[in-house]
Amino acid sequence: MAREGGANKSRKESEAGAFFMATLVMWSVSVFFEILFNQRSELLPIIIGFAFFQLANAVIRNFVSPDPLFVNTCVSLLHSSITSASVVLILLNQSMEIGVDKMFEHSQLVEDTWRWAYQALCFSCGYFAYDQLDMLLYRLYSGWIPAILVHHLVLLVCFTLALYRNITINYLILTLICELHSIFLHVRKVRRMAGIRNAGSKIVKAEWVFNWWAFVFARCVSHILITVKLIIDASKFDKGVELPLALSGMAGMNLLNVLLGIDLFNAYTKEIRVQKDHNNNHQE
């Protein structure tokens, strides 16, 4: 019975993998069509981003560790670091050019595009395509409807539609502030893979402090503020798919943040509990 259940689970995961691989292929065809036939050369950073992270994958796999999960996590950490730095630099540059008070006006967020924002969004699109492919190839997902694959597919669709139409680019750049928190998520994962699991050590304690602060301010607060801004400016949007798509996307992100917060809390309490049990056994 257990063997039969495992076979059913494996079959469903294979079916999910086939579905997401098909959507990734269709997305790739769409991007290449835009670049080659519609002569959208501004979309080339998508290809550059994909190639860059694929190269990083190969370097880590050949010179550090061949473990697929470790490689994937290290490349994700690289993306989070680059994207976070890019978003901060874009925001700082824009604040100096036009001032903070004008940066977040509706017309700025929807119709205009900050310097380097378009390229940064394209580059991140390339990463999400790379990461989707890597997880599919090495089966780095579980479940019939893998949340991580759904997350990447939604981002690829939303980001690409915005890039094709060149609207709401700045809004999407603001959503990427959450990558500051992703840095600490990936650092925690790499730290545990390296065998550093002592919850009482100063390194682990400091990591958890940064992890929680980044989760609250870079992820939760930023996404809530973006959602509030969308609701306040709802009447300023033209009739079309932009507002419904943006609101549904932010609703999904906020829901994922809640689920991530629960997972983080469970992981934190588990590490503390394991450390206490270890200390008690050591004292005995």
Side-chain angles (χ1 to χ4, degrees):
M1 184 70 75
R3 186 179 299 174
E4 184 177 330
N8 288 334
K9 181 181 178 182
S10 179
R11 186 177 69 254
K12 287 182 178 180
E13 288 182 356
S14 296
E15 291 173 354
F19 168 77
F20 285 103
M21 183 63 80
T23 59
L24 185 59
V25 169
M26 289 189 291
W27 174 86
S28 303
V29 170
S30 170
V31 171
F32 277 107
F33 182 87
E34 287 291 322
I35 293 173
L36 296 176
F37 294 98
N38 290 340
Q39 298 181 345
R40 299 286 301 276
S41 59
E42 68 271 20
L43 294 170
L44 280 173
I46 296 178
I47 309 300
I48 295 171
F50 179 88
F52 173 81
F53 290 108
Q54 196 64 58
L55 177 62
N57 180 299
V59 170
I60 296 169
R61 190 178 303 279
N62 287 301
F63 295 101
V64 182
S65 170
D67 178 59
L69 183 58
F70 178 83
V71 174
N72 183 271
T73 305
C74 288
V75 176
S76 296
L77 175 58
L78 177 63
H79 167 256
S80 295
S81 302
I82 293 173
T83 302
S84 298
S86 300
V87 171
V88 170
L89 289 174
I90 289 169
L91 292 175
L92 286 174
N93 178 70
Q94 201 62 25
S95 66
M96 289 186 291
E97 281 194 0
I98 64 172
V100 177
D101 55 331
K102 292 184 178 180
M103 276 179 62
F104 303 111
E105 291 179 354
H106 176 77
S107 59
Q108 275 285 318
L109 294 174
V110 176
E111 299 165 10
D112 291 347
T113 302
W114 296 330
R115 186 178 298 181
W116 300 113
Y118 195 94
Q119 292 84 348
L121 202 62
C122 283
F123 196 73
S124 272
C125 253
Y127 162 76
F128 289 120
Y130 145 79
D131 201 41
Q132 189 86 322
L133 180 62
D134 192 59
M135 287 189 290
L136 287 167
L137 291 177
Y138 292 97
R139 296 290 292 269
L140 302 177
Y141 62 91
S142 60
W144 187 38
I145 307 178
I148 187 65
L149 297 184
V150 173
H151 170 265
H152 280 20
L153 177 59
V154 170
L155 286 182
L156 282 173
V157 170
C158 291
F159 283 18
T160 309
L161 285 176
L163 290 168
Y164 286 175
R165 303 182 66 183
N166 200 11
I167 55 171
T168 67
I169 301 299
N170 297 338
Y171 257 123
L172 292 174
I173 284 294
L174 290 178
T175 66
L176 289 176
I177 293 173
C178 69
E179 291 299 329
L180 282 165
H181 175 241
S182 296
I183 291 174
F184 299 105
L185 288 180
H186 300 317
V187 165
R188 176 180 177 273
K189 210 168 180 180
V190 171
R191 182 257 298 172
R192 290 180 62 80
M193 288 180 189
I196 305 173
R197 303 191 176 198
N198 183 2
S201 70
K202 291 182 179 179
I203 293 176
V204 176
K205 285 181 177 179
E207 177 219 293
W208 272 114
V209 169
F210 286 119
N211 203 324
W212 280 117
W213 273 94
F215 172 73
V216 172
F217 293 104
R219 189 175 292 274
C220 294
V221 172
S222 65
H223 285 173
I224 290 171
L225 289 175
I226 292 169
T227 306
V228 171
K229 176 66 175 173
L230 285 170
I231 294 171
I232 292 173
D233 289 348
S235 61
K236 298 178 183 178
F237 278 87
D238 295 331
K239 290 182 179 179
V241 299
E242 288 86 3
L243 180 61
L245 190 63
L247 285 174
S248 58
M250 291 312 303
M253 284 190 177
N254 287 315
L255 175 60
L256 288 173
N257 289 344
V258 172
L259 298 176
L260 177 59
I262 294 171
D263 288 343
L264 268 181
F265 179 76
N266 290 336
Y268 176 72
T269 53
K270 182 180 178 180
E271 283 197 11
I272 296 299
R273 185 173 63 252
V274 169
Q275 185 60 35
K276 284 183 178 179
D277 292 341
H278 175 76
N279 290 340
N280 291 336
N281 292 333
H282 198 67
Q283 288 174 359
E284 293 175 1

